[in-house]
Amino acid sequence: MRSYRAGENSQIIGLAEALGAPFEEKRLVYKPTGALGNLTRRVGLFGIDRRASSPLAPPWPKLIISAGLRNEPVCRWIAKQSEGRTRLVFLGRTWAPRSEFDLIVTTPQYRLPDEDGVLHNLGTLHRVTEPRLVEAAEVWKAQLNPEDAPTIAVLIGGRSGPVTFGTHAANRLASLAQARAEKIGAKLLVTSSSRTDPRAIDMLAAHLPKSAHVHRFGHGENPYFGVLALADEIIVTSDSIAMLSEACATGKPVWIFDLGAPPRDRSLATELYRALVRFGPKRLSRDLALVHESFIARDLAAWLEADAEPASGGQTQDVQRAVACIRELLAASWL
């Protein structure tokens, strides 16, 4: 069941594809008035516009993969209608009691306890596979790197919790990325995301050499998988755990650009979130630093700093681990 956030949808579809069984995508349209019921952990369809949403009717599925607070009441309602035969797999964390779900696939940022029914992965799930990268390289090579030069991918996010990619970060990143490119004689392939401030990507582009290829999200076809496929090294801004996970899934050396390093971009929202992470209840925030530390400790990524050595790299197995858990959960031959 699709979420209302693009990053979660990529994870949901990636896991469904990896299972190798036929699946159907369900899209929900939400009512503004449904928020209170979601927060109070009610079960039902009160939060969605049923006429505008995908049909929800028997036969009920054997498995639902989903994420997000707004989807919880709907998924739990379906499980109830199926008299418990529908298994619920949720990604990230849940607001309803974890016992209401059959499996929760989580990452360190959510700080969930070690207990039955919770799979602790290193990073988020994704759609990065060897066949997809090979195909993307064939599609994008002529446009992104016709001269077949060494390349460094630069994946740009935006604001997430306590950090944001603004003009200060853009200046720092331009300097560090260009220095790394010059050190290994590489060309820069830059792509932004839906969360990237246009002023920040403009600032970054203005300070990069003309040889750099800069794609602005929403301007033409997205070359994201082509950039991953063609890169020899990958730089990821520290706000995006999803892009970090996708980068490390390629098995290539990955650098993390620290948005929290000075001079950093500040706003009231980022400062409030920093305070929430430090002093507030854990269930109300995410601690991105815990994920960074986990990747670095396993030598899958390194901080992008002057004269730093790249990580050894290596492919993560998070998707495979989730697939194995679901197969065990279902214990059925239909997969």
Side-chain angles (χ1 to χ4, degrees):
M1 185 171 293
R2 292 182 68 91
S3 177
Y4 38 92
R5 289 186 282 257
E8 289 174 339
N9 283 333
S10 181
Q11 296 182 56
I12 292 167
I13 300 302
L15 180 54
E17 290 174 342
L19 282 168
F23 65 91
E24 180 182 355
E25 295 182 43
K26 293 289 187 179
R27 291 175 168 82
L28 303 180
V29 177
Y30 307 95
K31 296 178 181 177
T33 54
L36 181 59
N38 297 335
L39 289 171
T40 55
R41 307 175 185 178
R42 290 173 54 195
V43 177
L45 306 181
F46 50 84
I48 65 170
D49 183 340
R50 296 195 67 177
R51 290 178 297 180
S53 301
S54 297
L56 300 175
W60 303 114
K62 296 180 180 179
L63 173 70
I64 293 178
I65 302 172
S66 193
L69 170 65
R70 299 178 191 176
N71 286 2
E72 289 186 27
V74 179
C75 294
R76 293 168 65 203
W77 179 84
I78 293 174
K80 185 176 181 179
Q81 302 309 304
S82 74
E83 298 181 342
R85 288 187 291 272
T86 296
R87 300 297 185 215
L88 300 184
V89 174
F90 243 66
L91 310 183
R93 65 179 167 194
T94 63
W95 291 85
R98 289 184 291 275
S99 59
E100 296 288 319
F101 304 86
D102 296 285
L103 178 66
I104 298 172
V105 184
T106 193
T107 55
Q109 61 184 315
Y110 294 115
R111 299 163 291 189
L112 296 188
D114 290 318
E115 60 186 25
D116 290 342
V118 178
L119 172 63
H120 290 268
N121 269 343
L122 185 62
T124 60
L125 304 177
H126 53 78
R127 302 182 69 194
V128 177
T129 62
E130 188 64 28
R132 180 168 279 119
L133 292 178
V134 170
E135 180 183 359
E138 293 177 355
V139 170
W140 288 101
K141 182 175 177 57
Q143 180 176 338
L144 297 179
N145 191 26
E147 64 274 18
D148 199 27
T151 59
I152 298 177
V154 184
L155 313 181
I156 307 298
R159 188 179 75 81
S160 180
V163 295
T164 188
F165 182 75
T167 54
H168 289 301
N171 277 324
R172 285 196 295 113
L173 178 56
S175 176
L176 288 171
Q178 188 171 345
R180 181 62 190 171
E182 291 174 354
K183 185 172 184 177
I184 65 172
K187 171 183 177 180
L188 295 171
L189 302 179
V190 182
T191 182
S192 64
S193 69
S194 60
R195 295 184 293 107
T196 307
D197 185 335
R199 296 170 297 179
I201 192 65
D202 287 345
M203 178 71 74
L204 177 67
H207 286 80
L208 292 179
K210 292 183 178 179
S211 61
H213 180 97
V214 180
H215 172 77
R216 290 168 172 80
F217 185 88
H219 294 251
E221 188 176 359
N222 191 342
Y224 184 74
F225 282 102
V227 169
L228 286 178
L230 296 170
D232 294 284
E233 296 182 2
I234 304 172
I235 298 171
V236 184
T237 56
S238 63
D239 61 290
S240 179
I241 301 306
M243 290 196 300
L244 174 60
S245 302
E246 289 161 345
C248 288
T250 67
K252 300 172 182 180
V254 175
W255 299 94
I256 305 173
F257 174 69
D258 187 4
L259 293 179
R264 63 182 179 87
D265 298 279
R266 297 174 179 269
S267 69
L268 179 59
T270 59
E271 297 309 307
L272 288 175
Y273 201 96
R274 280 175 173 266
L276 182 62
V277 170
R278 185 173 181 182
F279 301 110
K282 290 183 177 181
R283 67 176 295 106
L284 297 180
S285 66
R286 300 179 298 137
D287 191 346
L288 305 182
L290 295 175
V291 182
H292 302 149
E293 292 167 4
S294 297
F295 276 96
I296 291 170
R298 289 164 176 79
D299 204 22
L300 295 171
W303 290 113
L304 180 64
E305 299 170 341
D307 300 322
E309 292 297 319
S312 298
Q315 291 178 301
T316 55
Q317 300 296 315
D318 290 335
V319 175
Q320 294 87 335
R321 295 180 72 235
V323 167
C325 282
I326 292 175
R327 290 181 184 275
E328 183 178 350
L329 174 68
L330 294 173
S333 61
W334 69 283
L335 288 173

